[in-house]
Amino acid sequence: MARIAFLGTGLMGTGMAGRLIDAGHDIHVYNRTSARAQPLVERGATLASTPAKAATDADAIFAMVGDDIASRALWTGPDGVLSQELKPGTLAIECSTLSHDWVIELSEQTKEAGLDYLDCPVTGLPEAAANGLLTLFLGGEQTTIDKAMPLLEPLSSNQMYFGPIGSGSAYKLIVNLMGSIQIAAAAEGLITAERAGLDLDLVAKALASGGCGSPQVARNAALMVEGEHEKDVLFSTKWRLKDTDYGFKYAKKLGLNPAIGKATLNAFQGAMDDGYAASAETKVIDALRKRLPEN
């Protein structure tokens, strides 16, 4: 049994921490809004008032939060993990989708503190997190991965090793930018089909089973046709814009100027500007409807 700090108990973090509880580990949780951690406390976790307290004497520290700002607060804030001395060799497993620059900076800071950093962004919906069916994109030393694997296996059905620290996040940013492009393209396609007078339910089914029917297109096209963008939101416009922005900036960092990525970034920024931050990412179809000219 390991003593584990789990920082961030949103939709994804709750499922992941729950898997570690079920595996028999001693879980200490922290969430900025403590009430959101209560379901885990009821399952046996210990609630900590700060990230530092959660990480005290930990064998491993997991983080699963929304963006660089939240990650910085957890790790380097006044009451953050790195505000105290930790056991040398403690695993620092960052599962959040973060900018590449921050991943590299954070990995250096944790190394200076004597921790073993693992770049470990994930893919999968909250249901997959709760059932241990995530895919992990790993970047780090092989010895660190080997040490972490007993803790990673309850969380995931697939672990993909991309290379040194930063490479797991590099892949995650690439695939998330592609996913954003696919969602925006599906929205434009449905608007076109709407103007053509086609049956949108049939169009969504055809898209899901056709040559361009990626999981993103299949899931989100159907949700766009339903039009219930405020119901059971699994991934909001705010977070889709963040992922698109991080992916676009990483491509720019590599010397690229991705025009399709930029257009997609503008599409989700438009949805944000229209006040759809908390709506599902599928709400981008309404933002595009406003902006696509009639003629």
Side-chain angles (χ1 to χ4, degrees):
M1 183 178 71
R3 181 181 172 112
I4 298 172
F6 204 102
L7 313 177
T9 58
L11 291 175
M12 296 294 291
T14 294
M16 295 167 70
R19 292 289 300 176
L20 294 169
I21 292 170
D22 292 345
H25 298 294
D26 178 19
I27 307 301
H28 294 250
V29 296
Y30 168 80
N31 195 67
R32 185 175 58 183
T33 305
S34 59
R36 298 193 68 179
Q38 280 305 125
L40 292 169
V41 173
E42 292 169 5
R43 293 173 62 177
T46 299
L47 181 63
S49 59
T50 68
K53 289 180 179 178
T56 300
D57 295 326
D59 300 302
I61 304 160
F62 283 83
M64 186 60 173
V65 291
D67 57 17
D68 287 5
I69 295 171
S71 177
R72 283 182 184 274
L74 290 181
W75 293 100
T76 64
D79 296 313
V81 171
L82 299 181
S83 66
Q84 63 179 324
E85 282 195 29
L86 296 165
K87 293 189 298 185
T90 297
L91 288 163
I93 304 174
E94 182 51 274
C95 299
S96 316
T97 300
L98 305 170
S99 73
H100 194 263
D101 286 346
W102 171 236
V103 167
I104 298 304
E105 181 183 343
L106 176 59
S107 69
E108 292 170 349
Q109 292 191 46
T110 55
K111 183 178 180 180
E112 289 173 3
L115 310 186
D116 291 340
Y117 186 87
L118 184 58
D119 180 23
C120 184
V122 312
T123 189
L125 294 172
E127 183 179 0
N131 289 291
L133 298 176
L134 296 173
T135 293
L136 311 181
F137 305 136
L138 304 178
E141 298 292 334
Q142 189 61 55
T143 53
T144 301
I145 293 171
D146 292 343
K147 184 166 68 169
M149 194 56 68
L151 306 181
L152 302 180
E153 287 177 340
L155 308 178
S156 57
S157 58
N158 192 18
Q159 307 92 27
M160 304 181 74
Y161 176 57
F162 283 90
I165 289 170
S167 57
S169 286
Y171 175 75
K172 183 69 192 295
L173 295 176
I174 292 164
V175 76
N176 276 18
L177 181 57
M178 290 180 64
S180 298
I181 290 168
Q182 291 170 0
I183 294 168
E188 281 201 356
L190 286 169
I191 293 168
T192 306
E194 187 175 61
R195 292 191 184 179
L198 302 182
D199 180 332
L200 293 189
D201 286 320
L202 180 58
V203 169
K205 290 177 183 177
L207 287 173
S209 60
C212 64
S214 71
Q216 285 284 20
V217 170
R219 186 173 74 88
N220 286 294
L223 292 172
M224 288 177 196
V225 172
E226 288 178 13
E228 296 185 1
H229 308 290
E230 321 303 325
K231 180 182 177 182
D232 299 328
V233 176
L234 298 179
F235 204 71
S236 70
T237 296
K238 173 184 176 181
W239 299 125
R240 177 53 63 182
L241 176 62
K242 181 270 295 187
D243 282 0
T244 309
D245 181 52
Y246 285 178
F248 179 76
K249 286 177 177 174
Y250 183 57
K252 294 280 283 186
K253 178 181 175 181
L254 297 177
L256 302 173
N257 188 23
I260 300 172
K262 179 63 173 176
T264 302
L265 184 63
N266 289 340
F268 284 101
Q269 184 62 60
M272 280 287 289
D273 293 344
D274 288 346
Y276 303 149
S279 303
E281 58 194 334
T282 50
K283 190 69 171 176
V284 71
I285 191 170
D286 287 344
L288 287 171
R289 279 192 181 106
K290 293 181 181 180
R291 288 163 175 81
L292 291 174
E294 291 292 334
N295 293 302

